[in-house]
Amino acid sequence: MSGNTFGRLFILTSFGESHGKAIGGIIDGCPAGLKIDVQKIQQELDKRRPGQSEVTTPRDEEDKIQILSGIFEGQATGAPIAFIVYNKDPRPEDYNHLKKLFRPSHADFTAFKKYGIRDYRGGGRWSGRETVARVAGGAIARELLNHAGITVSAFTSQIGPVKMNIPVEAVDTTDVERSLVRCPDPDISDLMIQLINKLKAEGDTTGGVITCIVENVPAGLGEPVFDKLQADLAKAMLSIGSVKGFEYGSGFAGTTMKGSEHNDVFVKEGDKIRTKTNYSGGIQGGISNAEKIVFNVAFKPVSTLGKDQQTIDLTGEAVTFSGKGRHDVCIVPRAVPVVEAMACLVLADHFLRNEIARIDL
Amino acid sequence: MSGNTFGRLFILTSFGESHGKAIGGIIDGCPAGLKIDVQKIQQELDKRRPGQSEVTTPRDEEDKIQILSGIFEGQATGAPIAFIVYNKDPRPEDYNHLKKLFRPSHADFTAFKKYGIRDYRGGGRWSGRETVARVAGGAIARELLNHAGITVSAFTSQIGPVKMNIPVEAVDTTDVERSLVRCPDPDISDLMIQLINKLKAEGDTTGGVITCIVENVPAGLGEPVFDKLQADLAKAMLSIGSVKGFEYGSGFAGTTMKGSEHNDVFVKEGDKIRTKTNYSGGIQGGISNAEKIVFNVAFKPVSTLGKDQQTIDLTGEAVTFSGKGRHDVCIVPRAVPVVEAMACLVLADHFLRNEIARIDL
Amino acid sequence: MSGNTFGRLFILTSFGESHGKAIGGIIDGCPAGLKIDVQKIQQELDKRRPGQSEVTTPRDEEDKIQILSGIFEGQATGAPIAFIVYNKDPRPEDYNHLKKLFRPSHADFTAFKKYGIRDYRGGGRWSGRETVARVAGGAIARELLNHAGITVSAFTSQIGPVKMNIPVEAVDTTDVERSLVRCPDPDISDLMIQLINKLKAEGDTTGGVITCIVENVPAGLGEPVFDKLQADLAKAMLSIGSVKGFEYGSGFAGTTMKGSEHNDVFVKEGDKIRTKTNYSGGIQGGISNAEKIVFNVAFKPVSTLGKDQQTIDLTGEAVTFSGKGRHDVCIVPRAVPVVEAMACLVLADHFLRNEIARIDL
Amino acid sequence: MSGNTFGRLFILTSFGESHGKAIGGIIDGCPAGLKIDVQKIQQELDKRRPGQSEVTTPRDEEDKIQILSGIFEGQATGAPIAFIVYNKDPRPEDYNHLKKLFRPSHADFTAFKKYGIRDYRGGGRWSGRETVARVAGGAIARELLNHAGITVSAFTSQIGPVKMNIPVEAVDTTDVERSLVRCPDPDISDLMIQLINKLKAEGDTTGGVITCIVENVPAGLGEPVFDKLQADLAKAMLSIGSVKGFEYGSGFAGTTMKGSEHNDVFVKEGDKIRTKTNYSGGIQGGISNAEKIVFNVAFKPVSTLGKDQQTIDLTGEAVTFSGKGRHDVCIVPRAVPVVEAMACLVLADHFLRNEIARIDL
């Protein structure tokens, strides 16, 4: 598994298992002099934290971050920034019954086939708990974006069949945190919570969609032909567990449009060149055009259920098992800060890459 | 623009502009001893070639490949394999009228903002013509996959609103090449061709969806947590011009399912562990599980139209321009070999990466 | 500072400052199933530890390693292996007098010019203390080399003007640890210790040379044309603080030889193809040839002195300062495990890279 | 062989075999807007060209470069810059006698062991001819350095036992090209030429040393802890065929000095902070300090001789072979532009890396 490093210039390397000693990571490439407020990193982790509300898993982790290096007197020194979150409430013994079986739609089978050895304690490296490192790393990236004036906000736009239908340009993301499910439409938010409670009672789970908006991006971010901005965003999102799809701008719906409808006509607005519409989703030819970047991320239903399931064990025998681990009915609300974090990492990386794209900068 | 290299172990570096001297690339990391049939590379290029049929752009390029290094007596030597395709039918003068304006939904504006200089001749580096290098590189990757028994087949599943509705497991891809639009359902193929002809007459364009199936993949490909197989596939696809979305397995539709419906139950089939359903799309926890890998790629409508459009010029003045360049009404049919090529590159790379994942291999 | 990651497939990312909270790192890419004995990692750290003998700095650090992830029941799982060593005896207050001046031949000036901010506590990231992470990472790499039968042994061959003159092929490295200065020639070792004690009394320091021998390397390691085995070894060595030079095989002395003397003639020895001489130093054309790999690494005198020195402060004023920090008279004895560690990292990386060099492996 | 890419931000990927169709490469990451004069690239290639004088191999290659992409109207566009040099005077048939034997101290044996297949035509990928790509890539890098005011000059300081003894700070490199062997001391140059002629008559060869000086480097280049400037320079140099050693500043000689002699004392010179001496060789803590960067590169004697040699063939039988290929008696004079090119590549890369090291740039 050599895929634990993300980014070219603003680089996160991550480590940690669900029921091991700690989760953490190293940010390398953070420009020196950047002010970093550790409290802000903690706030992002708090949004991701299990046990934060009735709609999330009851596993109780305070997820308190420690910075080990790279920050001196509140500023990045240019040295790698290491951070660590110790696991406080691991219960590896909860997973002994999983030692010899493959849970459906988890990584148990594939990890075993790949590595021949499996840390079965709560999914090991495959637990969503690894996203602690993404969120912490993303919070550092966000400090760089703040410096550049760029903002990243995500929200839950769909859970199961319950879907917001406010057009994205009309969404106000300022109050997202008021909703337990992080949906900015209060009525839809209530329906989502009802759905989650109903599924919880049934021992079932569901999926959903997160929408992310990036604002105040300067034109120029993205490195064609392979490291287009949307390509790196797509990779970032699909690297999150449970994600099944990514689309930006007009996305899948745009496939049915005519070119004459879909083209974003340029207009001059004061000194600025803008587009009338934004089917391009803020990216053209792989490079940001200074309009809002908008994308959707699809999450599958949580695989861990509250009811019995059939599967097979290591010897191929059919067995029944019951889900004893603590889990979420829908991961989407807690995945909102993860989507934001990964978007921040991509944008910070491309912000730096763009700084050296031309000779006079 | 430092994003012209793709892959970690099986690596393509690409170059070339639409109306420059040549398009080409270098494959580094191809294992020595691999048999490479240059004729097969040419066949893939022929599928991508402009002017191949009535439904494609009339630009006439024979796209004849030359191998410059790295193959000796029909085998890879371990040295980098460089290849080149000279541009035979460039018409840079066709693009003089574009010198001073930004075409809507092209990269003209963003490239200019990023680099401060623009090779305006037919989109320069942003032309779909750069995919020649992807297709050639992908064809070499395919030789490695052939060696491992893995097959990759893509087809057009939707053009504009015309959509196949055969379930993916029932699709037979053997006759895809019989259809001018590369749709394996002959009736739907006819409707697609009619749609394209109608839009051509209108001077308009459309988008569509390509579905790709990878078969006989061994369990074990993919490198969590960031280089999950689907993450690298998503990046590969979103790096192709005009692509707006990617989904695998149950994709966006899976978001509305319950976990109890969506989980792929393991069963034993003879010696093999299989899953009853394949909502996972052949990948679990970022690693292939030996089922079919299935994914969809959304393409936006072609931005170059056959009719007049409004835009602005470099000085911000409103101007009308008419599309004089040769172009496709729908890029999807010619993008099928490009999607396959990118999938081959990802799989070859991950095939090699997996070879060293454990100690006894 | 984005240069804190080393290796392509067997990858060390390092963090930590001399007087910060901890030093540590992450190994990514270690093959699953590898047995890893944490005690062996500790033994390597003990060789590097300050305060280990009368000839080293009195700073007292027990340098006790903790593994945070990636090892389960004594084996690598394929997940990243994070490790940490907390700093137990930091004395940042010892360095307040350095806050405003640039010590000669240290990184104080260059770091300040580069980053505009400086963690002045004991050299911060530039302290030799960062090599804790190299040694720990190298010890994990060595477990992989052990698995492959490859051994790496370094020793002190010169301190100041005192130099061993046993030909390298006659050196027995088994008893290196008996010598306080890690010189396998007991008489020379004594002279070296005498020299160090004399310089200590004078408040002065010196440099030296470490020779490293790698045995039982299979033919085939090295990736021309840029990642030749000697190129990566040279980079590894020159990345160690205080290193001023690298040579392998005949090295600088070989420049004066004639080709007819220098060529290593091939001979058959039983089933094996060997060379009569080894001016090539075990590497030909950038690839190991199965002979011993032999190289020398030159270290400059330690810059921190025990006597007053002239320098300038941040405002450019001339100042005198006295070396109060704890330091070594000669870093070479403690650098022996560091040279070995870096060699192990390079060889483990190239061992994995070579596994996929040809099709039938 | 996946090691054909060099650099992190200013990146050269190279291809080509001695007696294949062409040698070439791709520069990715060259900032847009940089003026590039193709004639200057040609001039550098002319310095490396075989057949340029009586002291070099008689192989006659005009080494005429063609730019295939990435430069438009004399400026870099940000797109990858591909270049190609066709082989005009290959004589693969000259090498048929080598098909079945391993030449001493060449890569024949190791390449065969690694890849199982060998392009035996003139050393294939291992021929010094691959340095055409280095020189062309380095010439593009030099355009970026010119823009930044940095100059790179190398010269022959030793051939066999004939050695310059002007102190490096007194050497005037402006007339290096007047000397057939590129030695700036005319008397030593004559002795070197005499030595080469004598060895040629004997059918023998020799090695030597190249010294390189980099001037006007700003303080700040280099990325500790692994990508220190000297580490990347060392790798660059050791990646050149025939190179056996690298040292910078005081180098191996510095190992015998005392710290009190070796420390470079800071002084103020007008507005600038300078060092009185330059044992540091322009680099402290892995970062340039704005003094001259000075390093030496050791080359072994050429392995191809003009007289008969003993070796073994593929079956292990002893055979005698006579050197029929065209070759140099001493590669050092023609390696001068290669050393410069590699230094330019390293410096251009680090120049860009340093641009994003701190927040206010």
Side-chain angles (χ1 to χ4, degrees):
Chain A
M1 186 149 63
S2 61
N4 296 285
T5 293
F6 188 83
R8 280 280 299 271
L9 294 185
F10 192 98
I11 306 163
L12 170 64
T13 301
S14 141
F15 71 86
E17 289 90 38
S18 184
H19 293 261
K21 283 199 187 162
I23 304 283
I26 301 173
I27 289 286
D28 200 14
C30 183
L34 186 70
K35 290 201 174 98
I36 295 174
D37 180 347
V38 179
Q39 210 41 50
K40 284 192 192 163
I41 306 175
Q42 189 60 55
Q43 281 163 20
E44 293 300 315
L45 287 172
D46 292 347
K47 292 184 194 168
R48 196 218 72 93
R49 196 172 71 79
Q52 66 184 263
S53 81
E54 66 191 63
V55 299
T56 66
T57 168
R59 176 169 175 174
D60 187 24
E61 290 285 351
E62 60 174 2
D63 285 351
K64 183 90 185 120
I65 196 164
Q66 292 176 46
I67 302 292
L68 300 171
S69 66
I71 301 180
F72 185 56
E73 300 176 345
Q75 281 181 294
T77 62
I81 302 169
F83 54 84
I84 192 168
V85 169
Y86 281 95
N87 292 328
K88 294 291 186 195
D89 186 25
R91 299 190 195 160
E93 67 285 2
D94 274 17
Y95 296 92
N96 282 339
H97 67 300
L98 301 183
K99 201 168 175 170
K100 298 200 168 162
L101 60 80
F102 300 126
R103 291 170 298 163
S105 293
H106 275 277
D108 298 351
F109 172 70
T110 52
F112 182 71
K113 291 292 277 187
K114 184 176 185 75
Y115 301 113
I117 174 176
R118 181 157 74 90
D119 178 351
Y120 53 82
R121 301 165 304 168
R125 183 67 179 151
W126 280 265
S127 165
R129 199 153 168 70
E130 57 92 353
T131 59
V132 162
R134 300 176 188 245
V135 170
I140 299 172
R142 197 190 287 269
E143 295 276 33
L144 181 60
L145 299 182
N146 285 344
H147 175 83
I150 301 169
T151 61
V152 174
S153 353
F155 56 90
T156 301
S157 53
Q158 183 197 323
I159 287 186
V162 183
K163 197 171 174 174
M164 274 176 70
N165 56 12
I166 307 173
V168 77
E169 55 272 24
V171 171
D172 178 2
T173 58
T174 47
D175 289 337
V176 161
E177 287 303 307
R178 280 203 203 154
S179 158
L180 286 188
V181 289
R182 297 200 164 88
C183 175
D185 180 328
D187 297 333
I188 297 292
S189 173
D190 288 348
L191 289 173
M192 287 171 169
I193 293 168
Q194 284 169 33
L195 174 64
I196 287 173
N197 287 332
K198 182 169 170 289
L199 289 167
K200 194 182 206 167
E202 291 174 13
D204 219 325
T205 64
T206 192
V209 174
I210 291 173
T211 298
C212 187
I213 300 174
V214 189
E215 291 174 276
N216 298 319
V217 186
L221 274 54
E223 303 291 325
V225 295
F226 297 120
D227 298 350
K228 287 175 176 161
L229 191 54
Q230 71 272 32
D232 280 348
L233 285 169
K235 170 164 178 162
M237 298 306 142
L238 268 294
S239 79
I240 302 171
S242 300
V243 172
K244 303 295 286 189
F246 169 90
E247 59 178 5
Y248 79 104
S250 63
F252 276 88
T255 59
T256 61
M257 293 171 75
K258 291 185 183 178
S260 57
E261 299 160 346
H262 190 275
N263 277 356
D264 291 318
V265 176
F266 286 111
V267 288
K268 202 155 182 190
E269 224 182 78
D271 269 0
K272 280 191 188 163
I273 293 174
R274 302 285 312 269
T275 61
K276 263 194 208 171
T277 49
N278 187 19
Y279 292 114
S280 297
I283 306 172
Q284 293 179 324
I287 299 172
S288 62
N289 69 351
E291 301 297 320
K292 280 186 193 180
I293 296 175
V294 182
F295 60 86
N296 293 319
V297 186
F299 286 78
K300 70 169 190 179
V302 169
S303 301
T304 303
L305 306 184
K307 51 185 174 188
D308 288 0
Q309 289 185 82
Q310 281 303 111
T311 192
I312 60 169
D313 65 15
L314 298 189
T315 65
E317 290 298 301
V319 288
T320 302
F321 84 103
S322 50
K324 278 198 277 189
R326 296 156 293 176
H327 69 91
D328 294 84
V329 169
C330 179
I331 202 61
V332 170
R334 286 180 59 212
V336 167
V338 180
V339 163
E340 287 187 358
M342 293 307 295
C344 287
L345 285 166
V346 170
L347 287 156
D349 194 40
H350 278 280
F351 178 79
L352 293 180
R353 293 177 76 171
N354 189 45
E355 288 290 295
I356 50 174
R358 53 199 280 185
I359 206 68
D360 289 317
L361 281 178
Chain B
M1 186 148 63
S2 60
N4 296 287
T5 292
F6 188 83
R8 279 280 298 273
L9 294 185
F10 192 98
I11 305 163
L12 171 63
T13 301
S14 139
F15 71 86
E17 289 91 37
S18 183
H19 293 261
K21 282 201 187 159
I23 304 282
I26 301 173
I27 289 287
D28 199 14
C30 183
L34 184 71
K35 289 201 174 100
I36 295 174
D37 180 347
V38 180
Q39 209 41 48
K40 284 191 191 164
I41 307 175
Q42 189 61 55
Q43 281 164 20
E44 293 300 315
L45 287 171
D46 291 347
K47 292 184 195 168
R48 198 216 71 94
R49 197 172 70 79
Q52 65 184 264
S53 82
E54 67 192 62
V55 298
T56 66
T57 169
R59 178 170 173 170
D60 186 24
E61 289 285 352
E62 61 173 0
D63 284 350
K64 183 91 185 123
I65 195 164
Q66 293 177 45
I67 301 293
L68 300 171
S69 65
I71 300 179
F72 185 56
E73 299 176 346
Q75 281 181 294
T77 62
I81 302 169
F83 55 85
I84 193 167
V85 168
Y86 281 95
N87 291 327
K88 294 293 187 195
D89 185 25
R91 299 190 194 161
E93 67 284 2
D94 274 17
Y95 296 93
N96 283 339
H97 66 302
L98 301 182
K99 200 169 177 169
K100 297 197 170 165
L101 60 82
F102 301 126
R103 290 169 299 162
S105 293
H106 276 275
D108 298 351
F109 173 69
T110 53
F112 182 69
K113 292 292 277 185
K114 185 177 185 75
Y115 301 113
I117 175 176
R118 183 157 73 90
D119 178 351
Y120 53 81
R121 300 166 303 168
R125 183 65 178 152
W126 279 265
S127 164
R129 195 150 170 72
E130 57 92 353
T131 60
V132 162
R134 299 176 188 246
V135 170
I140 299 172
R142 198 190 287 268
E143 295 276 33
L144 181 59
L145 300 181
N146 284 344
H147 176 83
I150 300 168
T151 61
V152 174
S153 352
F155 56 90
T156 301
S157 53
Q158 183 198 322
I159 287 185
V162 183
K163 198 169 171 174
M164 274 178 68
N165 56 12
I166 306 173
V168 76
E169 53 273 26
V171 170
D172 178 2
T173 58
T174 46
D175 288 336
V176 162
E177 288 303 309
R178 279 201 201 157
S179 159
L180 286 188
V181 288
R182 297 201 164 87
C183 175
D185 179 328
D187 297 334
I188 298 292
S189 172
D190 287 349
L191 289 173
M192 288 170 171
I193 294 167
Q194 285 170 33
L195 175 64
I196 287 172
N197 287 331
K198 183 170 168 290
L199 289 166
K200 193 182 206 167
E202 292 173 14
D204 219 325
T205 63
T206 193
V209 176
I210 292 173
T211 298
C212 185
I213 300 173
V214 188
E215 290 174 279
N216 299 318
V217 185
L221 273 54
E223 303 290 325
V225 295
F226 298 120
D227 298 349
K228 287 174 176 161
L229 191 54
Q230 72 272 32
D232 280 347
L233 285 169
K235 171 164 177 160
M237 297 308 143
L238 268 295
S239 79
I240 302 170
S242 300
V243 171
K244 303 294 286 188
F246 169 89
E247 59 179 5
Y248 79 104
S250 62
F252 277 87
T255 60
T256 61
M257 293 172 76
K258 291 184 184 179
S260 58
E261 299 162 346
H262 190 276
N263 276 355
D264 291 318
V265 176
F266 285 112
V267 289
K268 203 156 181 188
E269 225 181 77
D271 269 358
K272 281 191 188 162
I273 294 173
R274 302 285 312 267
T275 61
K276 262 193 206 169
T277 48
N278 188 19
Y279 292 113
S280 297
I283 306 173
Q284 293 179 325
I287 299 172
S288 61
N289 68 353
E291 300 296 321
K292 280 185 192 182
I293 295 175
V294 182
F295 61 87
N296 292 321
V297 186
F299 287 77
K300 70 168 189 176
V302 169
S303 301
T304 304
L305 306 183
K307 53 184 170 188
D308 288 1
Q309 289 186 83
Q310 280 303 112
T311 194
I312 60 170
D313 65 16
L314 296 189
T315 66
E317 291 297 303
V319 288
T320 303
F321 83 103
S322 50
K324 278 199 278 191
R326 297 156 292 177
H327 69 92
D328 294 84
V329 169
C330 180
I331 202 61
V332 169
R334 285 179 59 211
V336 166
V338 180
V339 163
E340 289 187 356
M342 293 308 294
C344 287
L345 285 166
V346 170
L347 287 156
D349 194 39
H350 277 280
F351 178 79
L352 293 180
R353 292 178 77 170
N354 189 46
E355 289 289 294
I356 50 175
R358 53 198 282 185
I359 205 68
D360 289 315
L361 281 177
Chain C
M1 186 149 63
S2 61
N4 296 286
T5 293
F6 188 83
R8 279 281 299 273
L9 295 185
F10 192 97
I11 306 163
L12 171 63
T13 301
S14 140
F15 71 87
E17 288 92 38
S18 183
H19 292 262
K21 283 199 188 160
I23 304 282
I26 301 174
I27 289 286
D28 200 14
C30 183
L34 185 70
K35 290 203 174 95
I36 295 174
D37 181 346
V38 179
Q39 210 40 50
K40 284 191 192 163
I41 306 176
Q42 189 60 56
Q43 281 163 21
E44 292 300 315
L45 287 172
D46 291 347
K47 292 185 195 167
R48 197 217 73 93
R49 197 172 69 79
Q52 66 184 262
S53 81
E54 66 191 64
V55 299
T56 66
T57 168
R59 177 169 174 173
D60 187 24
E61 291 284 353
E62 60 173 0
D63 286 351
K64 182 87 185 129
I65 194 162
Q66 292 177 45
I67 302 292
L68 300 171
S69 66
I71 300 181
F72 185 56
E73 299 176 345
Q75 280 182 294
T77 62
I81 301 170
F83 54 84
I84 191 167
V85 169
Y86 281 96
N87 291 328
K88 295 290 186 195
D89 185 25
R91 299 190 194 161
E93 67 283 3
D94 275 18
Y95 297 92
N96 282 339
H97 67 301
L98 301 183
K99 200 168 175 170
K100 298 197 169 165
L101 59 80
F102 300 126
R103 290 169 298 162
S105 293
H106 276 276
D108 298 350
F109 172 70
T110 53
F112 182 71
K113 292 292 278 185
K114 185 177 185 74
Y115 301 113
I117 175 176
R118 180 157 75 89
D119 178 352
Y120 53 81
R121 301 166 303 168
R125 183 66 178 151
W126 279 266
S127 165
R129 197 152 169 69
E130 58 91 353
T131 59
V132 162
R134 300 176 188 246
V135 170
I140 299 173
R142 197 191 287 268
E143 294 277 34
L144 181 60
L145 299 181
N146 285 343
H147 175 84
I150 300 168
T151 61
V152 174
S153 352
F155 57 90
T156 301
S157 53
Q158 182 196 323
I159 286 185
V162 183
K163 198 170 171 174
M164 275 176 68
N165 56 11
I166 308 173
V168 76
E169 54 273 24
V171 171
D172 178 1
T173 58
T174 46
D175 289 337
V176 162
E177 287 303 308
R178 280 201 202 157
S179 159
L180 286 187
V181 290
R182 299 202 163 86
C183 174
D185 180 327
D187 297 333
I188 298 291
S189 173
D190 288 347
L191 289 173
M192 287 170 170
I193 293 168
Q194 285 169 34
L195 175 64
I196 287 173
N197 287 331
K198 182 170 168 291
L199 289 167
K200 193 182 206 167
E202 292 173 14
D204 219 324
T205 63
T206 193
V209 175
I210 292 173
T211 299
C212 187
I213 300 174
V214 189
E215 290 174 277
N216 297 319
V217 186
L221 273 55
E223 303 290 326
V225 295
F226 298 119
D227 298 349
K228 287 174 177 162
L229 191 54
Q230 71 272 30
D232 280 347
L233 285 169
K235 169 162 178 162
M237 298 307 142
L238 268 294
S239 79
I240 302 171
S242 300
V243 172
K244 304 294 287 187
F246 168 89
E247 59 178 6
Y248 79 104
S250 63
F252 277 87
T255 60
T256 61
M257 294 172 74
K258 291 186 183 178
S260 58
E261 299 161 347
H262 190 275
N263 277 354
D264 291 318
V265 176
F266 287 111
V267 289
K268 202 155 182 189
E269 224 180 78
D271 267 359
K272 280 191 190 162
I273 293 173
R274 301 286 312 270
T275 61
K276 262 194 207 169
T277 48
N278 187 19
Y279 293 113
S280 297
I283 306 173
Q284 293 179 324
I287 299 172
S288 61
N289 68 352
E291 300 297 319
K292 280 186 193 180
I293 295 175
V294 182
F295 61 87
N296 292 321
V297 186
F299 286 78
K300 70 170 189 176
V302 169
S303 301
T304 303
L305 305 184
K307 53 184 172 188
D308 288 0
Q309 288 185 82
Q310 280 303 111
T311 192
I312 60 171
D313 65 16
L314 298 189
T315 65
E317 291 297 302
V319 288
T320 302
F321 83 104
S322 51
K324 277 199 279 190
R326 298 156 292 177
H327 69 91
D328 294 85
V329 168
C330 180
I331 203 61
V332 169
R334 286 180 58 213
V336 166
V338 180
V339 163
E340 288 187 358
M342 293 308 295
C344 287
L345 285 166
V346 170
L347 286 156
D349 194 41
H350 277 282
F351 178 79
L352 293 181
R353 293 178 77 169
N354 189 45
E355 289 290 294
I356 49 175
R358 52 198 282 187
I359 206 68
D360 289 316
L361 281 179
Chain D
M1 186 150 64
S2 60
N4 296 287
T5 293
F6 188 83
R8 279 281 298 274
L9 295 185
F10 192 98
I11 307 162
L12 171 64
T13 301
S14 139
F15 71 85
E17 288 91 39
S18 184
H19 293 261
K21 282 199 187 162
I23 304 282
I26 301 174
I27 289 286
D28 200 14
C30 183
L34 185 71
K35 291 202 173 98
I36 295 174
D37 180 347
V38 180
Q39 208 41 47
K40 284 191 191 164
I41 307 175
Q42 189 61 54
Q43 281 163 21
E44 292 301 314
L45 288 172
D46 291 348
K47 292 183 194 169
R48 198 217 70 92
R49 197 172 71 79
Q52 65 185 263
S53 82
E54 66 192 63
V55 298
T56 66
T57 168
R59 177 170 174 172
D60 187 23
E61 290 285 350
E62 61 173 2
D63 286 349
K64 182 87 184 128
I65 195 163
Q66 293 176 45
I67 302 292
L68 300 171
S69 66
I71 300 179
F72 184 56
E73 299 176 346
Q75 281 180 293
T77 62
I81 302 170
F83 55 84
I84 193 169
V85 169
Y86 282 96
N87 291 328
K88 295 292 187 195
D89 186 25
R91 299 190 195 163
E93 66 285 2
D94 274 16
Y95 295 93
N96 282 339
H97 67 301
L98 301 183
K99 201 168 175 171
K100 299 198 167 163
L101 60 82
F102 301 126
R103 291 169 298 162
S105 294
H106 277 275
D108 298 351
F109 172 70
T110 53
F112 182 70
K113 292 292 277 187
K114 185 177 186 74
Y115 300 113
I117 174 176
R118 183 156 73 88
D119 178 352
Y120 53 81
R121 301 165 303 167
R125 183 67 178 151
W126 279 265
S127 165
R129 196 151 171 71
E130 57 93 352
T131 60
V132 161
R134 300 176 188 245
V135 170
I140 299 172
R142 197 191 286 268
E143 295 277 33
L144 180 59
L145 300 181
N146 284 345
H147 174 84
I150 300 167
T151 61
V152 174
S153 352
F155 56 90
T156 300
S157 53
Q158 183 196 322
I159 286 185
V162 183
K163 198 170 173 173
M164 274 176 69
N165 55 12
I166 307 174
V168 76
E169 53 272 25
V171 169
D172 177 2
T173 58
T174 47
D175 288 338
V176 162
E177 287 303 308
R178 279 201 202 156
S179 158
L180 286 188
V181 288
R182 298 202 163 88
C183 174
D185 179 327
D187 296 333
I188 299 292
S189 173
D190 288 349
L191 289 173
M192 288 171 169
I193 293 168
Q194 285 170 32
L195 175 64
I196 287 172
N197 288 332
K198 182 169 169 291
L199 289 167
K200 192 181 206 167
E202 292 173 13
D204 219 324
T205 63
T206 192
V209 175
I210 291 173
T211 298
C212 185
I213 300 174
V214 188
E215 290 174 278
N216 299 319
V217 185
L221 273 54
E223 304 291 325
V225 294
F226 297 120
D227 297 350
K228 287 175 175 159
L229 191 53
Q230 72 272 32
D232 280 347
L233 285 169
K235 171 164 176 161
M237 297 308 142
L238 267 295
S239 79
I240 302 171
S242 300
V243 172
K244 303 294 285 188
F246 169 89
E247 59 178 6
Y248 79 104
S250 63
F252 277 88
T255 61
T256 62
M257 293 171 76
K258 291 185 183 179
S260 58
E261 299 161 346
H262 190 274
N263 277 356
D264 291 318
V265 176
F266 286 111
V267 289
K268 201 153 182 190
E269 225 182 77
D271 270 358
K272 280 191 188 163
I273 293 173
R274 302 284 312 268
T275 61
K276 263 193 207 169
T277 49
N278 187 19
Y279 293 114
S280 297
I283 306 174
Q284 293 179 324
I287 300 172
S288 61
N289 68 353
E291 300 297 320
K292 280 186 192 180
I293 295 175
V294 182
F295 61 86
N296 292 320
V297 186
F299 286 78
K300 69 168 190 177
V302 169
S303 301
T304 303
L305 306 183
K307 52 185 172 187
D308 288 0
Q309 290 185 82
Q310 281 303 110
T311 193
I312 61 171
D313 65 16
L314 297 190
T315 65
E317 290 298 301
V319 288
T320 303
F321 83 103
S322 51
K324 276 199 279 191
R326 298 155 291 177
H327 70 91
D328 294 85
V329 168
C330 179
I331 203 62
V332 169
R334 284 180 59 212
V336 167
V338 180
V339 163
E340 288 187 356
M342 292 309 293
C344 287
L345 286 166
V346 170
L347 287 155
D349 194 39
H350 277 280
F351 178 79
L352 293 181
R353 293 178 76 171
N354 189 46
E355 289 289 295
I356 49 175
R358 54 198 280 186
I359 206 67
D360 289 315
L361 281 178

